[in-house]
Amino acid sequence: SVPLLKEDAHFYLFGNIDYLPQIKPIIEKYLTLKNVMVWDRQVIGMGDLKTYGNSYDIVYFGYNKKWKDLRGVRERDVLNFNRIDPGKNIHPTEKPLDILEYLIKKSSKEGDNILEPFAGGGSTLLACKNTNRKATGIEIEDKYYQMIKDRV
């Protein structure tokens, strides 16, 4: 995906803190990592019931080759957005539209092109449509590709 990005493009990559040591050097080989943010999902996720429950994911944020300021005012690196109710997900790693729309607005302006190399259930593409951005999504699983076509 990197060759398709503008020099001043921002990127966001959602992930789990457990994979930080493996993911960080891969990102830094191709892009500039600026922050690792926390998405407070407001509820405990699945997992070991005998210890503290994870209620957050991390979001890697950075840029391609040239820094471009974020739009709007300076904000915290803790993002407070509810996750999607697991019973309503159409994809296992689906993100809520409100967090995607927020990030898209911080890093782009209306009419800009957004690349989503992991389109999943199409939430980023729908968030782009809702915020007047153009979007290109890549999804390798045919069942999700078909869902995205119907959804967007």
Side-chain angles (χ1 to χ4, degrees):
S1 298
V2 175
L4 302 175
L5 300 178
K6 287 184 174 181
E7 282 192 351
D8 66 349
H10 290 166
F11 73 87
Y12 296 91
L13 179 65
F14 287 79
N16 182 303
I17 193 73
D18 296 339
Y19 299 105
L20 179 63
Q22 293 89 358
I23 297 293
K24 190 173 182 253
I26 295 169
I27 292 171
E28 291 176 331
K29 181 176 178 181
Y30 301 101
L31 299 159
T32 301
L33 185 61
K34 186 78 171 162
N35 294 92
V36 177
M37 301 185 294
V38 172
W39 168 29
D40 180 358
R41 295 177 284 142
Q42 312 290 314
V43 294
I44 295 174
M46 297 174 61
D48 182 354
L49 300 179
K50 295 180 172 100
T51 187
Y52 298 102
N54 283 356
S55 62
Y56 70 93
D57 283 333
I58 58 171
V59 183
Y60 302 95
F61 165 70
Y63 59 96
N64 189 10
K65 294 180 178 154
K66 184 174 131 184
W67 173 250
K68 169 181 67 178
D69 289 346
L70 291 167
R71 299 171 59 80
V73 298
R74 185 175 193 218
E75 310 248 7
R76 297 176 62 227
D77 60 359
V78 176
L79 307 168
N80 293 297
F81 294 89
N82 289 325
R83 72 174 181 176
I84 296 174
D85 181 329
K88 296 179 181 175
N89 275 7
I90 61 172
H91 186 275
T93 61
E94 186 175 354
K95 308 300 180 286
L97 286 175
D98 56 354
I99 192 172
L100 297 172
E101 290 173 2
Y102 168 79
L103 296 173
I104 287 166
K105 287 177 183 177
K106 292 298 285 182
S107 288
S108 66
K109 60 186 183 307
E110 288 190 11
D112 279 356
N113 293 306
I114 307 295
L115 175 64
E116 172 55 274
F118 309 102
S123 295
T124 300
L125 306 180
L126 188 55
C128 287
K129 184 177 179 180
N130 293 347
T131 58
N132 299 311
R133 273 70 171 175
K134 298 172 190 162
T136 300
I138 301 167
E139 178 52 51
I140 61 172
E141 291 193 46
D142 189 57
K143 71 177 182 174
Y144 293 118
Y145 168 74
Q146 295 302 326
M147 268 193 243
I148 292 168
K149 281 177 47 178
D150 295 337
R151 186 175 185 199
V152 180

